[in-house]
Amino acid sequence: MGTHSPDHLPSCVLATLRNGPPDDKWFFSPRAPRRPGHPISRSSCVAGHTGVECPGVQSFDATPQLLAALLDGMEAGLCALDRDGVITHWNSEAARILGWTAEEAVGRRGFAGWAARTADADEVRERLLGAMAADGRQVHEFALLTKDGRRVLVRTQSAAVHGSDGRPAGVYCAFSEVHAQIDLERSIALSEALFDDAPCGVVLVDADLRPVVVNAYAARALRTSRDAPLGRPLGDFLDQGVEELESALQHVLAEGAPPAPSELWVGLRTDGGTRCCWRSGFVRLGSPLGEEPVPLGVGWLFHDVTDTKVAEQEAARLRFRSNQLHRAALAVAECEEPLEAATCYVDFSLAGFAEHALLDVLAPDGVRLVRAAATPSGGAGPCLPVSGGIPVRYGEGHPALQAVARTGSVRAGFGAAAAEPASRAQVDSWASARRWPDGTVHGLCAVLRSRGRTLGVLTFLRGAGRHPFDRADAAFAEDVALRVAACLDLAPRA
């Protein structure tokens, strides 16, 4: 159950306290006898005398009972005093906090000698009754005594209750333990801070998986304002990863929060599909007003760790490639033929890097390229020597010829600027025009140089299921090309 602040009393309680039950001359005592000559009426509604006929319903004067039920159902202690300081009301929460039952409290004048120390009792009584002469509600903090003698610091809020003549007839005082009030204030302050200045994203999602509250960090991460996502599907803002996110939210609603944060890769629609990694945690929100919590939604907290994850991935990729080159060097040490050593480097470099590799060397004329080794075009396999020595018919402007001319690496790709995905026939046609295997969409050509001379070109190829070659890939290809060139050029000198 949640903790309610004593300054939020039900309006029906306040109205009853102000006007009093119609059967009673003095409004404070719910157990007072009915006014003489005013029997229970069958024409009064259950909620009290409203003047509305309820045919066929056996009604009763419920105002005192309703008032007592409301007061006992409150989650703040409440007591009422008449203008002389006599306690007339004492609800169950007040009895829980201080230990004094309603039978022990009602009818006492002030708190001296039982609920407050004698030295403090007069000040407590004066402050409470002073609310009758003040406008609005008065907030105070008092040290009261429990029945077992402990001192309890309570925060009170009191206000005058006026009689039918408009004059103050008494005062009501709602109170709760200060630590409970502070806990409530801290919870409210924490909620406000999370939804304003938190250093992480906070999104409150309802049971329909639509955001209802978005803090400033989350709005920046979504590349939108704080109000734009409210009530809209998550797919309106996320291009990739929305299925995984919605699945996680549904799991939390059904089963509760996962034991540990998870990392979700998502793509933003407003940023051209830019992929971000958000380390996310989830909490299920339930209503504190029911015995069994009813899911109100999910609190989604996340932090953008894209830079960290990209750095980790690059470091892992670099370690793997370095290990591959180290293993390749150990294998090359056992090769007797230079071409065998060169293809050994190519085979080790292909793992996790490309599907195909082509090794072309310069013909004796120093202009044309001759295929020396290649991987099978029909599927995966080792890089094997190619016999024949026939020059490859590369067209003008081919990436391999550009690499020779520039003495550097050249990247090429199909449809880099295409607005719509191409058909398989278009892809195969593009690859065939460049003398590459069918299905190739990305190519990287690295020149083979040793002792200041160009020896040929090493080409790596990727299919449609992989990303284009980037600068890190080009650097790795150049590293492999240097080793392959050394094998082709220096091994015969041994």
Side-chain angles (χ1 to χ4, degrees):
M1 300 292 285
T3 303
H4 289 249
S5 176
D7 57 341
H8 296 295
L9 293 175
S11 58
C12 53
V13 174
L14 296 180
T16 308
L17 286 173
R18 291 190 182 98
N19 303 326
D23 293 346
D24 191 9
K25 179 180 179 181
W26 173 244
F27 65 91
F28 280 114
S29 177
R31 293 182 295 274
R34 293 189 303 276
R35 184 182 306 130
H38 194 285
I40 295 177
S41 172
R42 297 173 67 90
S43 64
S44 59
C45 288
V46 176
H49 289 264
T50 63
V52 179
E53 294 290 334
C54 300
V57 177
Q58 184 176 2
S59 183
F60 63 95
D61 183 5
T63 304
Q65 294 89 333
L66 177 61
L67 174 59
L70 289 172
L71 295 182
D72 284 341
M74 292 174 55
E75 295 185 10
L78 185 136
C79 65
L81 298 84
D82 62 16
R83 63 171 59 91
D84 297 324
V86 177
I87 296 176
T88 59
H89 276 72
W90 191 267
N91 74 343
S92 59
E93 184 64 13
R96 187 196 67 80
I97 295 174
L98 297 179
W100 300 96
T101 64
E103 289 76 12
E104 295 170 323
V106 172
R108 291 179 180 262
R109 184 181 298 274
F111 300 93
W114 62 286
R117 296 193 310 176
T118 304
D120 301 332
D122 290 340
E123 180 185 2
V124 172
R125 181 173 176 273
E126 290 176 2
R127 288 192 181 184
L128 292 179
L129 295 181
M132 291 189 294
D135 295 331
R137 301 173 183 177
Q138 306 296 310
V139 179
H140 303 287
E141 289 187 1
F142 300 124
L144 299 181
L145 292 178
T146 63
K147 190 174 182 179
D148 58 6
R150 294 182 297 106
R151 299 188 71 191
V152 177
L153 185 62
V154 298
R155 179 171 297 176
T156 67
Q157 182 151 341
S158 56
V161 180
H162 297 80
S164 58
D165 57 359
R167 296 189 306 169
V171 63
Y172 80 83
C173 169
F175 63 92
S176 63
E177 296 179 77
V178 168
H179 72 82
Q181 183 72 11
I182 291 177
D183 289 344
L184 174 62
E185 293 174 357
R186 285 173 178 163
S187 298
I188 295 174
L190 175 61
S191 299
E192 292 179 351
L194 286 175
F195 289 125
D196 287 333
D197 306 320
C200 65
V202 180
V203 179
L204 181 58
V205 182
D206 63 14
D208 295 326
L209 306 185
R210 295 173 184 263
V212 292
V213 180
V214 177
N215 77 338
Y217 183 103
R220 290 193 299 269
L222 292 170
R223 311 294 195 270
T224 183
S225 64
R226 296 185 61 179
D227 297 331
L230 304 186
R232 299 173 60 183
L234 294 171
D236 288 356
F237 303 91
L238 301 180
D239 184 23
Q240 302 175 10
V242 65
E243 295 84 1
E244 291 80 359
L245 176 57
E246 290 182 343
S247 176
L249 294 173
Q250 290 173 346
H251 173 80
V252 174
L253 281 172
E255 304 293 338
S262 56
E263 293 176 351
L264 300 175
W265 283 92
V266 299
L268 303 176
R269 290 190 182 276
T270 57
D271 238 9
T274 300
R275 297 181 75 243
C276 302
C277 182
W278 293 343
R279 181 172 290 130
S280 303
F282 304 92
V283 291
R284 182 169 61 177
L285 306 179
S287 173
L289 303 180
E291 295 183 0
E292 296 184 2
V294 178
L296 296 178
V298 177
W300 171 30
L301 295 86
F302 68 90
H303 188 71
D304 193 338
V305 294
T306 306
D307 294 341
T308 301
K309 296 303 296 183
V310 169
E312 291 177 356
Q313 291 176 350
E314 291 179 351
R317 181 171 60 180
L318 182 60
R319 285 195 300 270
F320 174 77
R321 291 176 178 177
S322 297
N323 289 335
Q324 287 296 101
L325 290 179
H326 174 70
R327 294 174 59 195
L330 295 178
V332 166
E334 305 301 325
C335 295
E336 298 180 358
E337 299 295 329
L339 185 57
E340 180 186 3
T343 56
C344 184
Y345 271 119
V346 174
D347 288 336
F348 276 94
S349 66
L350 282 175
F353 184 67
E355 283 83 7
H356 299 285
L358 307 174
L359 179 58
D360 301 326
V361 297
L362 279 177
D365 59 9
V367 176
R368 293 176 297 175
L369 291 172
V370 177
R371 183 64 46 83
T375 56
S377 59
C383 185
L384 300 175
V386 176
S387 60
I390 300 176
V392 184
R393 295 180 299 169
Y394 287 142
E396 184 178 357
H398 191 279
L401 300 179
Q402 294 183 38
V404 173
R406 299 177 183 179
T407 63
S409 59
V410 175
R411 288 175 284 171
F414 174 80
E420 299 180 357
S423 64
R424 179 60 185 266
Q426 292 174 313
V427 172
D428 292 344
S429 176
W430 180 84
S432 177
R434 287 155 182 77
R435 305 296 175 181
W436 290 343
D438 292 343
T440 299
V441 294
H442 308 297
L444 173 59
C445 299
V447 67
L448 303 175
R449 288 188 58 83
S450 178
R451 293 189 298 162
R453 296 181 299 121
T454 297
L455 304 181
V457 176
L458 177 60
T459 301
F460 293 100
L461 304 174
R462 288 178 177 174
R466 308 190 61 152
H467 294 291
F469 291 101
D470 56 21
R471 292 184 178 180
D473 295 329
F476 176 68
E478 291 171 355
D479 194 1
V480 175
L482 289 174
R483 297 168 184 262
V484 171
C487 293
L488 295 177
D489 184 44
L490 299 179
R493 299 174 55 193

